Amino acid sequence: MKASLKLAAVALGCLGAIAAHANPIVTTNFDFYKLGNASGNFTPTSGTFYNGSQGCSGSDLCSSKVFDGHGTKSFGGSLVYSLNGITATASAIAGNHLAPATVVQDHESPWTMDQSGHAIKGAGLGVYSTYNDTSDDNIQSNEWLTITFDKAVTIKGIGLQNDGHVNFGTGKSFLLSVDGGAVVTETWGGGATDDYDLTGTSFRFSTVGINSRAYSQLYLSELDVVAAVPEPETYALMLAGLALVGAAAKRRQAK
């Protein structure tokens, strides 16, 4: 019984230390716009993908072959990115029946960024839902790009670029759904990224499609995320549970 009490006491102490001295939160930047320079590009880290000589377009990267001359074309696949222990998988669907579509990481040569590392000039992730059409490399109306993480994360910043590979326009709209929930129309605040506080594992993006062409077509250029951590209330419940275990062990010892 004494061992049980000691174990409970040690666990309580450790949890208390964790709650009181949590590690600093590290932001992980998935900079999808970084493709096209001689160095410093942000490219898929695993899985199967294709470049312009293999069935994609130019210097872009595609999750499947969508151009003639490189074998059988098909829609689907995914682009996988891992950074700081977090893995993000990009996939796409399109059309009224939400059929599989192809993810494309569009390039800009050269891409440029500001002092904070956010895109000034660049593209990002888009969707191909038609074959042999280089104008279909962004997210258009009725096309959905989904980013699925291997663990719960909190999105702190979203970066969007328009069809001209520059920052999405202030006051323009896009569509967003978290973990398969309701589709919400979001208004862009302007600049390279906009601040958010969204927690989940799956985030789906599309365009409203009612503005001018330059703003109704978009790329997902960046996601700034942190790994989701338990709320203080969660720590309190864990501590209370361990305290009850310790008390029960003490009562058994008294008998």
Side-chain angles (χ1 to χ4, degrees), residues 39-124:
S39 62
N41 294 315
F42 183 75
T43 57
T45 53
S46 63
T48 301
F49 53 91
Y50 305 90
N51 60 31
S53 64
Q54 300 170 321
C56 194
S57 52
S59 298
D60 301 340
L61 299 176
C62 289
S63 62
S64 67
K65 299 178 180 182
V66 291
F67 285 85
D68 288 333
H70 305 281
T72 303
K73 301 188 299 293
S74 65
F75 292 121
S78 60
L79 299 181
V80 182
Y81 305 82
S82 294
L83 187 64
N84 296 339
I86 300 175
T87 298
T89 300
S91 59
I93 53 177
N96 293 331
H97 299 290
L98 302 180
T102 295
V103 182
V104 54
Q105 185 177 4
D106 196 23
H107 81 288
E108 173 66 31
S109 184
W111 51 263
T112 57
M113 61 183 181
D114 60 22
Q115 292 182 343
S116 299
H118 304 306
I120 295 176
K121 182 75 171 176

Side-chain angles (χ1 to χ4, degrees), residues 8-198:
V10 170
L12 284 168
C14 290
L15 283 174
I18 292 172
H21 305 286
N23 291 328
I25 295 176
V26 176
T27 301
T28 297
N29 306 109
F30 287 86
D31 294 330
F32 304 118
Y33 73 91
K34 291 183 177 179
L35 181 65
N37 286 7
S39 62
N41 294 315
F42 183 75
T43 57
T45 53
S46 63
T48 301
F49 53 91
Y50 305 90
N51 60 31
S53 64
Q54 300 170 321
C56 194
S57 52
S59 298
D60 301 340
L61 299 176
C62 289
S63 62
S64 67
K65 299 178 180 182
V66 291
F67 285 85
D68 288 333
H70 305 281
T72 303
K73 301 188 299 293
S74 65
F75 292 121
S78 60
L79 299 181
V80 182
Y81 305 82
S82 294
L83 187 64
N84 296 339
I86 300 175
T87 298
T89 300
S91 59
I93 53 177
N96 293 331
H97 299 290
L98 302 180
T102 295
V103 182
V104 54
Q105 185 177 4
D106 196 23
H107 81 288
E108 173 66 31
S109 184
W111 51 263
T112 57
M113 61 183 181
D114 60 22
Q115 292 182 343
S116 299
H118 304 306
I120 295 176
K121 182 75 171 176
L125 297 182
V127 176
Y128 271 125
S129 59
T130 57
Y131 292 129
N132 302 312
D133 183 1
T134 57
S135 68
D136 183 38
D137 62 353
N138 38 40
I139 304 172
Q140 303 184 40
S141 179
N142 220 17
E143 294 179 338
W144 292 89
L145 173 73
T146 301
I147 308 296
T148 303
F149 292 92
D150 63 337
K151 63 186 69 176
V153 300
T154 299
I155 290 182
K156 292 297 186 180
I158 297 174
L160 299 177
Q161 299 287 89
N162 67 27
D163 189 52
H165 294 193
V166 294
N167 297 159
F168 202 56
T170 301
K172 302 301 179 180
S173 300
F174 67 100
L175 302 179
L176 174 63
S177 173
V178 179
D179 287 342
V183 176
V184 177
T185 300
E186 297 283 350
T187 301
W188 188 248
T193 61
D194 212 355
D195 294 335
Y196 285 85
D197 191 13
L198 303 169

